[in-house]
Amino acid sequence: MSIYNYETFEIQNLLDAIKLKKKYPKKKLNFLHRHNSVVWQGPVYIKTLSEKLNSKNCNYIVEIGDNIALTLLLISFKIKILAIDKKVHENQMEKIFSITRDKRIKVIFLENLNIIEN
């Protein structure tokens, strides 16, 4: 089943993800960490969260914005799935795709996710 078919919930911290895992124990879920939270929480926290949420029933997805430095840090921390808005400049998107392809990091589009309000 495609990652786009899973229900996607926005999270801001580990507690949000744990609550959703308990609420939907048998479902495959996407946890979307929005860019505005990522910016103030920092890439080290995101890396820790990624490690804690690593399981076969969950996909931890980090939204990247237009901050190239933050995006490169997330890539270097081997965050497995990054989400990008289609409105990002094509030139910037090509660079991100080329870097993530080499690192085996999946890049998906936000618009295609099935985002559910909690």
Side-chain angles (χ1 to χ4, degrees), residues 12-114:
Q12 293 185 356
N13 54 44
L14 184 59
L15 186 59
D16 291 346
I18 290 171
K19 286 179 185 177
L20 287 166
K21 278 183 167 183
K22 286 182 181 177
K23 188 173 180 179
Y24 305 102
K26 298 191 191 273
K27 279 191 172 186
K28 293 196 176 219
L29 304 172
N30 290 330
F31 297 128
L32 175 62
H33 206 138
R34 288 291 191 170
H35 178 69
N36 56 355
S37 294
V38 171
V39 169
W40 67 267
Q41 289 172 329
V44 175
Y45 179 75
I46 302 308
K47 179 183 179 190
T48 303
L49 207 57
S50 174
E51 291 167 355
K52 291 188 183 284
L53 293 176
N54 186 19
S55 77
K56 63 181 180 177
N57 289 332
C58 319
N59 293 310
Y60 179 61
I61 304 167
V62 179
E63 177 186 8
I64 56 174
D66 56 356
N67 185 333
I68 293 294
L70 179 60
T71 302
L72 291 173
L73 275 171
L74 293 171
I75 291 169
S76 72
F77 285 158
K78 296 183 174 98
I79 303 300
K80 293 181 181 178
I81 305 172
L82 300 175
I84 192 167
D85 190 345
K86 287 183 181 177
K87 297 173 190 161
V88 173
H89 298 288
E90 190 173 319
N91 184 28
Q92 188 176 354
M93 206 180 317
E94 287 177 21
K95 291 176 184 176
I96 292 169
F97 285 140
S98 69
I99 294 169
T100 55
R101 192 175 320 119
D102 294 341
K103 303 280 185 182
R104 295 185 180 172
I105 295 172
K106 192 181 292 187
V107 178
I108 62 173
F109 292 105
L110 280 173
E111 293 81 6
N112 297 345
L113 290 173
N114 180 22

